[in-house]
Amino acid sequence: VQLQASGGGLVQPGGSLRLSCAASGFNLDYNAIGWFRQAPGKEREWVSCISSRDGSVWYVDSAKGRFTMSRDNGKNTMYLQMYSLKPEDTAVYYCAADSIRVCTVINGIIPSGYDMDYSGKGTQVTVSS
């Protein structure tokens, strides 16, 4: 089982990036899948999640209206399209997949301490002028 995130980089505030995550060893369409990020000195923050049971998508409040998560089952790949990027979006972004089909959202958020069963190396996103 392997997940590999890519697509990060340096972008100016207000810019866009699309992150990709290719999965191998299992089918993403049977798992809840998500993206989390971690900035230096800060707790991990879950950014988005897709439940495979009904296709519903959850976003952290700071990402709503700016980020769009999607997946391509044919390519076994998930994406995170990010628009209107802000300096506070700077972090290493990781993709993950769970062994359950629904996103673990508690009181409107996925707890920072929650671990999905699979995750891979992250990709750095830096938003700076």
Side-chain angles (χ1 to χ4, degrees):
V1 173
Q2 191 172 15
L3 293 167
Q4 180 63 57
S6 62
L10 172 63
V11 63
Q12 292 187 340
S16 302
L17 279 174
R18 188 176 84 152
L19 306 183
S20 300
C21 176
S24 59
F26 65 101
N27 288 323
L28 287 179
D29 48 336
Y30 296 126
N31 304 76
I33 54 177
W35 290 90
F36 65 92
R37 63 188 179 186
Q38 187 145 29
K42 294 187 177 181
E43 277 191 332
R44 177 174 58 184
E45 180 180 50
W46 285 95
V47 175
S48 64
C49 182
I50 295 178
S51 291
S52 64
R53 186 176 67 181
D54 59 6
S56 60
V57 188
W58 169 88
Y59 297 99
V60 69
D61 284 348
S62 60
K64 289 178 181 177
R66 300 190 300 124
F67 293 6
T68 301
M69 183 178 175
S70 61
R71 68 179 176 205
D72 185 329
N73 290 342
K75 294 182 179 179
N76 213 27
T77 300
M78 67 176 91
Y79 304 96
L80 185 67
Q81 177 69 57
M82 304 185 293
Y83 299 101
S84 302
L85 283 162
K86 304 175 182 180
E88 51 264 41
D89 295 317
T90 296
V92 179
Y93 284 70
Y94 300 84
C95 55
D98 218 342
S99 58
I100 58 176
R101 300 192 69 190
V102 296
C103 300
T104 302
V105 179
I106 301 172
N107 294 326
I109 65 169
I110 297 177
S112 62
Y114 184 78
D115 284 318
M116 289 191 178
D117 289 277
Y118 311 109
S119 62
K121 292 182 180 180
T123 185
Q124 176 72 47
V125 172
T126 302
V127 185
S128 175
S129 54

